[in-house]
Amino acid sequence: MSRVRSAPLPVRDGLGPARVRLRGGPVADELGARFGAPARAKVAAGEVVCADGTVVDATTVLPAGACVYLYRELPQEVPVPFDIPVLHRDDALVVVDKPHFVATMPRGRHVAQSALVRLRRELDLPELSPAHRLDRLTAGVLMFTVRRALRGRYQTLFSRGAARKTYLARATGVPTVVLPTLVQSRIIKRRGCLQAVEEPGEPNAATLIEDLGDGLYRLTPRTGRTHQLRVHMASLGVPIDGDPLYPNVVDVAPDDFSTPLQLLAHTLEFVDPVTGLPRRFVSRRSLG
């Protein structure tokens, strides 16, 4: 089993240290040029460390590609006013029923309000780590590992497609094809672009879409591309209700929680890689 690499600084208040890859030269000068006076102050206070835990000071010089670690200054965030109910908890796993509008991992303007940081704080589990991810706007079953040593074994379930996930979605309109159908296409998500797009070429995304009646659909992804379910539903002429990206981008205020995306990660099933037993978790949420 490969050894899990850990950061040289512990999780603090639910958040791990930021890793900064250097361009090479005096570390204090580079951090100051890139991040300003607060970064210089952290160096002066002995709050920046190298990968081996050595404290960076004003004389430290590191080569290009080396990394240093420090705790970031958290931005002001809009509180997301929804609880994160726990569906299951044992020595290995925590499974939650994530609400809409909560990011899985700290990213961009969603850091302290991410599911990971909130759960680390609420459950006092500093090594908690997501086994997979859900989009910020998607609700439903989300699984975390409790201990760092177990993380890889459960994450591998998802990377090799051994975990079966089904979603529910609500959409208005009439599909352009007869359902059920297996939608296959090539989806590309480019850095800096809000939308993923379908392009000609070898398919890299597949979703089984079934009509359950009254505007409710069951979606079973066979791959895990970014925004895959949302793109495939929109491609059939039935974009998911409440979607601010597909088919068109809609500007939504950060504090507007009035129109959740009608997409729910409903079930998660797999054979536990540690115990060998079948596992099945089901969301208790319903779509509006």
Side-chain angles (χ1 to χ4, degrees), residues 39-54:
R40 287 187 180 274
K42 287 183 181 294
V43 172
E47 297 178 0
V48 182
V49 302
C50 301
D52 63 0
T54 304

Side-chain angles (χ1 to χ4, degrees), residues 68-116:
V68 295
Y69 295 77
L70 68 159
Y71 294 109
R72 73 191 81 178
E73 296 299 322
L74 296 184
Q76 289 293 112
E77 295 184 49
V78 176
V80 181
F82 307 114
D83 293 333
I84 308 178
V86 175
L87 295 172
H88 173 86
R89 180 178 178 180
D90 59 31
D91 290 340
L93 300 174
V94 170
V95 183
V96 302
D97 215 354
K98 188 183 83 67
H100 299 282
F101 303 107
V102 174
T104 297
M105 295 278 291
R107 184 178 181 184
R109 64 187 183 192
H110 309 287
V111 178
Q113 289 297 307
S114 65
L116 177 62

